[in-house]
Amino acid sequence: MYDVIVIGARCAGSPAAMLFARQGYRVLLLEKARFPQDTLSSHYIHQPGVALLGRWGLLDKLRDTGCPPIDHESYEGPGVRLDGFSLPVDGHRTTYAPRRFVLDPILAEGAVASGVEFQESCAVTDLVFEGDRVVGVRYTTPGGAEATERARLVVGADGMRSLVARKAGARNVVEHPRMSCVYYSYWAGVPAGFELYERPGRWIVAAPTHDGLTLIMTYFPQDEFSEVRKAVEPAYLEAVRSTSPELSERMSAGERVEQLYGTGHQENYFRKAYGPGWVLLGDAVHHKDSITARGITDAFLQAQSLTGHIGERLHDEAALEEALRCYEEDLEETFSDIYQGALNVAELKPQGRMEMLRKLVGHQELIDRYFSTVSGACSFDDFYNAELLAVLDQN
């Protein structure tokens, strides 16, 4: 009998399992993959996520992998260029865009070092119920045998297509249609910082990652997905060329070293977060368009929130119910503005923002605060303050 079973060992599950174990609970962490294994990802860890890695004692392990530090951001839209960077969080301003086959094992190893029992290549097939309460899971072992384990709390950190959400009947409480689709790959010989390029219908991201490679991502409107997927490479290259000819020239001097990866399944939702004996975490509870690269950071924040609210109250029924309710309220309070901001960018219609962004030029503090609204280092309310309004009125 475990205190907690966590399903999914990537950016939400491993930190949650680690933090539960550090609180003294007996934790089982189940993962269907065998690490190291890559996965679709926007890679980037914003300042709040980096700060949590530092708090958890895992940041130096990421740095030791040779992941390039990022300390500058540039944005180019129609008729405007902004250079700056998000404000720091807990003293951390430098960010990273690690490969997931590097990051995810670091997180899982942190869980194991904290006392978590970690089992890879285990596919969870069902939840175990007593009445309407989830009391455990059924899964297949690496050898193909059927196994059942019980726990006080089952945590579904098993992604957008969460089995826990489906079996527990977690409905979508907020939902919006798909906005964009994305394709990306890795390039050698293409030096780049953290660069964002936008024009109507296109969004391009470049970021340095492991092994001297540059990640280059292209975003298209969702209604172009069926056409783009028929001829991905020419669409990808043309998107860069038409949005940033200068970046396209750098790519021409370099070499694409991996296949193109991508998806049109950019879902946007909040799900019901918890019920008797279960709770959802990461993409299982909340997903938004990846265009603002919030997935990893938000998973970290949710793991910290969930375990912090539960604390020592796991075996007190009333206290656990209250903790899970507070966690659900945190999700709405923390991520609603960020969710809407991602949808606004994912419309790929920059015209509405360009007038404001042009007026920020020459006001570095405001530029940095603008970048901070995406990172989460600054709230939208803090950005849209009297100083910004004065600047907008003057121009």
Side-chain angles (χ1 to χ4, degrees):
M1 177 76 177
Y2 292 91
D3 295 305
V4 181
I5 296 175
V6 180
I7 304 171
R10 293 192 184 270
C11 292
S14 282
M18 176 189 70
L19 294 171
F20 275 125
R22 290 180 180 181
Q23 290 172 337
Y25 294 119
R26 185 174 183 230
V27 182
L28 174 63
L29 176 62
L30 298 173
E31 169 57 47
K32 65 181 179 180
R34 185 167 185 83
F35 290 166
Q37 186 181 90
D38 213 356
T39 189
L40 290 176
S41 178
S42 54
H43 296 69
Y44 192 68
I45 308 176
H46 291 276
Q47 281 81 359
V50 174
L52 285 175
L53 287 176
R55 184 186 304 180
W56 298 337
L58 301 178
L59 183 55
D60 285 344
K61 295 183 183 298
L62 176 59
R63 289 170 173 157
D64 289 346
T65 67
C67 191
I70 298 170
D71 57 12
H72 178 267
E73 178 177 355
S74 64
Y75 165 86
E76 288 189 14
V80 64
R81 177 183 171 102
L82 301 177
D83 287 275
F85 211 39
S86 168
L87 300 172
V89 174
D90 294 342
H92 293 277
R93 200 175 195 190
T94 300
T95 59
Y96 302 87
R99 296 295 296 262
R100 291 294 296 277
F101 60 75
V102 176
L103 175 64
D104 293 350
I106 289 173
L107 301 174
E109 289 162 8
V112 171
S114 299
V116 171
E117 182 180 333
F118 178 39
Q119 296 186 28
E120 300 174 88
S121 303
C122 293
V124 175
T125 58
D126 208 350
L127 302 178
V128 179
F129 285 86
E130 286 185 357
D132 66 348
R133 185 180 186 85
V134 174
V135 295
V137 302
R138 293 189 180 93
Y139 63 98
T140 57
T141 68
E146 297 289 331
T148 300
E149 296 291 353
R150 297 170 68 88
R152 172 66 173 162
L153 183 67
V154 172
V155 179
D158 49 343
M160 194 167 57
R161 298 172 180 84
S162 170
L163 177 139
V164 177
R166 186 171 70 253
K167 296 289 186 177
R171 69 190 188 282
N172 286 0
V173 295
V174 174
E175 186 174 10
H176 290 83
R178 299 171 186 173
M179 306 291 288
S180 82
C181 57
V182 59
Y183 283 94
Y184 66 89
S185 193
Y186 306 91
W187 292 73
V190 183
F194 184 40
E195 305 170 15
L196 310 174
Y197 303 92
E198 183 178 23
R199 72 171 180 84
R202 297 293 181 266
W203 178 274
I204 311 297
V205 181
T209 188
H210 282 98
D211 302 317
L213 301 180
T214 295
L215 166 72
I216 299 177
M217 312 185 78
T218 59
Y219 285 82
F220 307 84
Q222 174 66 210
D223 61 14
E224 294 185 19
F225 180 51
S226 60
E227 290 301 314
V228 170
R229 68 190 303 188
K230 294 176 184 176
V232 173
E233 184 172 24
Y236 173 85
L237 294 174
E238 173 59 22
V240 179
R241 188 204 63 75
S242 62
T243 307
S244 176
E246 190 276 332
L247 176 59
S248 182
E249 288 182 10
R250 276 184 274 160
M251 292 167 64
S252 297
E255 177 187 9
R256 179 165 62 85
V257 297
E258 293 190 29
Q259 70 181 65
L260 284 154
Y261 307 94
T263 183
H265 297 284
Q266 299 257 74
E267 310 295 342
N268 301 294
Y269 59 79
F270 286 82
R271 286 183 177 134
K272 174 63 181 173
Y274 73 96
W278 61 271
V279 65
L280 300 178
L281 192 64
D283 288 350
V285 72
H286 166 53
H287 191 277
K288 55 190 165 292
D289 198 288
S290 66
I291 199 164
T292 52
R294 287 288 313 190
I296 297 173
T297 300
D298 289 356
F300 290 177
L301 290 168
Q302 290 166 24
Q304 185 72 41
S305 172
L306 174 64
T307 57
H309 281 300
I310 292 177
E312 299 179 351
R313 299 183 287 176
L314 182 66
H315 295 284
D316 181 323
E317 183 67 30
L320 176 60
E321 170 73 19
E322 175 66 12
L324 294 176
R325 185 188 64 79
C326 290
Y327 163 67
E328 186 174 64
E329 290 179 351
D330 264 2
L331 290 175
E332 180 178 359
E333 181 178 342
T334 303
F335 299 115
S336 289
D337 284 347
I338 294 171
Y339 175 78
Q340 188 57 54
L343 296 187
N344 291 344
V345 176
E347 286 184 331
L348 298 174
K349 296 177 180 178
Q351 301 90 324
R353 288 179 285 117
M354 287 305 102
E355 181 179 0
M356 181 199 68
L357 294 182
R358 292 187 191 107
K359 291 179 178 180
L360 297 184
V361 175
H363 300 273
Q364 192 60 52
E365 182 180 350
L366 292 178
I367 292 171
D368 290 345
R369 285 221 308 270
Y370 173 72
F371 287 143
S372 299
T373 63
V374 178
S375 77
C378 173
S379 72
F380 285 89
D381 288 342
D382 286 339
F383 175 62
Y384 288 100
N385 61 10
E387 181 183 355
L388 173 63
L389 295 175
V391 168
L392 298 181
D393 287 343
Q394 291 170 5
N395 291 275

